[in-house]
Structure formats: C-alpha cells, structure tokens
Amino acid sequence: MMQFSSPASHPPLLRVRDLRVGFRKHGQVLEAVRGIDLDIARGEVLGIVGESGSGKSIGMLAALGLAPPNAVVSGSVQYLGEELLTKPRREMRRIRGAKIAMIFQDPLSSLNPTMRVGDQIIEALRLHQPQMNARQATQRALELLELVSIPQPDRRLRQFPHEFSGGMRQRVMIAMAVANGPDLLIADEPTTALDVTVQSQIMRMLRELQAKLGLGLVLITHDLGVLAGHANRVAVVYSGQVVEQADVFDLFQNPRHPYTRGLIASIPKLTESGGRLYSIAGSPPALGRFPPGCAFHPRCERAGDICQQLAPPKTTIGGSGHVSACHFANALPEWDSAEARVKE
C-alpha cells in the first residue's frame, strides 16, 4: 500500500459541517444526505467511499450548488472560510471551475458532442480568464492536452468527443478541470467504465497532477482498492452519513465499523481461489425509509438492542483523528488485516 503524508497542519480548503440534502416528493422532504462533516486541506487527498445511493456524490454536488432544483440543502460549506451555500448563483459560477473544479462520472455525457474538444477547453479558459485572447487560449489548450499526456494535441484539439476513447475523454475532462488552476479538485468516480489498465493510468496521472499543482483532491468512489493506493484519509459513507473516517493506513489496518469491515472483506483477493466471494447481507435502506437507531443495524451481524433504538455517537479511536459512528467501535473483535476478516 502506497503511503502519502497528510498535510494536517494546513487549514482546510473546504470545511463541510452538518451538510443535509433532501428531495421534495409529494409534500415531503426525503433526506439523502443526513449531516456530513468533512475537512479537505490543500495538498491532501480525501477519499469518500460507499455503495451506490449512499449520498457521496450528491453531497459534493450540493456543496458546489449543483443539486437538482427539487433539492433542499442546509448546513455549512466553507471555502477558505467563505460560506458557499448562501452565495448567489452568479458568484458560485465564478468559483466553480476557477477555484473548485469537478470531474464528472461520465465524460461522454459531460462533454458537448457537437463541439470540438479544443473549443470546449478554450471556452472553459476564457469564461474565467476573459483577458485571454483566442490565440493565447488555443496555446494554453495545447499545453493542457500535453499535461494530461494526450498525443498529437494539435490534431486532437480539432476532433469531437466521439473520436476519443473512454480514457482519452477522461483525460480531456481532467484537462478542463485543471485549466484555470483550481485549489480543489473533486473527482466523481473518475475511473468508471474504464478497463483496469486505463484506470491505473488515470489514477496515476491524477495523483501526479495533484502533487505537481498542490491541489486538494476529493476522490469519490466505491472502490476501496483505488483509495488504498492514492488517498491520505478516507471517509466511509452509509445512508447519507459518515460512519467512519480515518487515515488510510489506520482504516485498512484497524477498521472500527462493521460496514467498513464488510467493504474491505468484499475486495476479491488474488490469494483466494474457488468458493464464494464475501458480500454484506441485505441492501441499503431506500430513500426516506431509514430504520430507527443505526441505519446499518438490519445488515449488521453484531447489532444489539441499542443499535435498533439509538443513533450511535461518534467515537474517537486513539489520537489520530480516527472516528467511528458505532456503539461497539471499541469492542469489536481483533481485525486480521492479512486475511481481511473479523476474528470471531
């Protein structure tokens, strides 16, 4: 497992407190994100992991003012101490793409199919840097394609998105995201639908760009293997809440929430052959149908009566900022990191 030093001494670029996102339906507000707290520092890589529908993506979209019209958003999201949730749309447009940029999950649907790739990059540049003329923007677009290792950038500028492979389109999205020198980059499932080799190339390139440019980087994924090699810290999200947050090494060596343990145990291992893969029993609760107490208790093998009655408090594990929202965080059995199984 690769290790990267965490810039804990830096003040947070983005500070998220009690972020809640709900959706209006038939006169009700159904909460999808239920009180998330996160800090992202300059030069840090924060991984956000969870199953599909856990709220990890919509939380970050809402933080940037990109939630759907029927969403109800509350809490606090501060960029360098400046509150974002109360900013008018015009001011948020000046911040998005310039100070905080996002790489969306599907590059094919995110890129305009009717515009040449070069025109789209130039548009992103001149929107935030109006003093840049056409010639300067074209030269900068060429440099950006070279930065993300796209061959023959002068020819590629004149092509349309459908003429690029999936990995190439993702590189274009990354080039657009870093075009205006943002402080923070949010990558939402940046390797979705890419083969393993291309996934590795994209993640290596993202990590190198993050280190070279000194960006804060948020990696949203369902793949713990990606985070093991690239994140400083990991926040595990379940049913719209952060159930565990820790340094990446601590999380894999000493997970203190049953859901985190289930996710790690579900990772296929090269040393195992035959037999059934481990999976967490049951399914996540539907939106607006969260059970009382701990939302994970219907799927948890260690749930007790208290789990069905009371929401678990945040328990601090040691002194390294490791936090778990589990009633039995300090009473879970020893974790065998080599076998990735709980010793019962």
Side-chain angles (χ1 to χ4, degrees):
M1 183 187 300
M2 297 172 64
Q3 289 296 300
F4 304 100
S5 59
S6 178
S9 60
H10 292 197
L13 280 173
L14 198 71
R15 182 179 176 88
V16 179
R17 289 294 178 271
D18 195 30
L19 178 63
R20 295 175 179 272
V21 184
F23 296 95
R24 297 184 185 90
K25 184 177 180 181
H26 304 311
Q28 294 181 304
V29 176
L30 305 179
E31 276 197 318
V33 176
R34 304 185 296 147
I36 282 181
D37 296 341
L38 293 171
D39 287 339
I40 302 99
R42 189 182 302 276
E44 178 182 38
V45 182
L46 171 69
I48 302 179
V49 67
E51 293 169 286
S52 296
S54 62
K56 56 189 186 299
S57 294
I58 190 61
M60 287 294 99
L61 288 170
L64 298 185
L66 295 174
N70 67 329
V72 179
V73 183
S74 64
S76 174
V77 178
Q78 295 184 0
Y79 165 70
L80 293 176
E82 192 175 1
E83 182 60 51
L84 298 184
L85 292 188
T86 56
K87 278 193 175 298
R89 289 185 179 181
R90 179 171 294 183
E91 288 189 37
M92 280 304 298
R93 282 196 290 268
R94 285 198 289 265
I95 292 173
R96 287 194 303 262
K99 302 299 183 182
I100 306 173
M102 189 161 188
I103 302 168
F104 295 97
Q105 191 169 137
D106 181 7
L108 184 58
S109 61
S110 299
L111 292 168
N112 188 332
T114 68
M115 288 179 65
R116 298 179 193 276
V117 163
D119 292 337
Q120 297 188 56
I121 299 174
I122 290 168
E123 181 182 58
L125 285 165
R126 300 189 72 182
L127 179 67
H128 294 285
Q129 302 180 58
Q131 77 283 0
M132 186 178 286
N133 62 38
R135 180 185 231 174
Q136 292 170 326
T138 301
Q139 181 58 38
R140 178 58 179 155
L142 284 169
E143 294 170 358
L144 287 165
L145 291 187
E146 290 176 353
L147 183 67
V148 297
S149 302
I150 289 182
Q152 300 178 297
D154 52 342
R155 183 172 68 89
R156 292 294 190 176
L157 277 181
R158 300 189 296 272
Q159 293 183 324
F160 291 91
H162 72 270
E163 298 179 85
F164 287 66
S165 67
M168 287 289 203
R169 285 193 290 266
Q170 193 62 283
R171 290 170 188 265
V172 171
M173 289 297 299
I174 294 169
M176 292 176 67
V178 302
N180 293 292
D183 296 320
L184 179 64
L185 185 60
I186 300 172
D188 185 9
E189 301 277 8
T191 59
T192 296
L194 301 177
D195 64 55
V196 175
T197 303
V198 178
Q199 284 184 25
S200 177
Q201 293 170 353
I202 293 295
M203 288 310 306
R204 189 183 306 114
M205 184 190 64
L206 260 179
R207 193 62 177 89
E208 289 172 355
L209 281 174
Q210 182 270 334
K212 180 179 179 179
L213 303 176
L215 305 173
L217 176 61
V218 178
L219 284 175
I220 303 171
T221 183
H222 60 267
D223 189 341
L224 274 170
V226 168
L227 299 184
H230 298 280
N232 300 121
R233 287 188 301 117
V234 179
V236 181
V237 178
Y238 184 79
S239 293
Q241 297 177 317
V242 176
V243 296
E244 187 164 12
Q245 187 169 177
D247 173 271
V248 65
F249 183 81
D250 289 342
L251 190 89
F252 279 87
Q253 291 296 314
N254 186 31
R256 305 309 299 175
H257 194 283
Y259 179 59
T260 309
R261 293 185 169 201
L263 289 179
I264 297 173
S266 300
I267 300 174
K269 296 164 185 64
L270 294 176
T271 56
E272 296 179 356
S273 61
R276 295 175 62 87
L277 292 174
Y278 177 84
S279 63
I280 303 172
S283 302
L287 190 67
R289 297 184 180 179
F290 302 112
C294 174
F296 186 62
H297 86 255
R299 307 174 68 189
C300 182
E301 297 175 356
R302 303 195 60 81
D305 291 341
I306 191 173
C307 304
Q308 303 175 36
Q309 300 165 7
L310 298 175
K314 293 180 180 178
T315 301
T316 300
I317 314 296
S320 61
H322 191 158
V323 177
S324 171
C326 176
H327 289 292
F328 304 107
N330 285 310
L332 292 174
E334 180 185 354
W335 176 254
D336 188 335
S337 59
E339 294 295 330
R341 294 290 187 271
V342 181
K343 291 182 178 179
E344 298 291 353

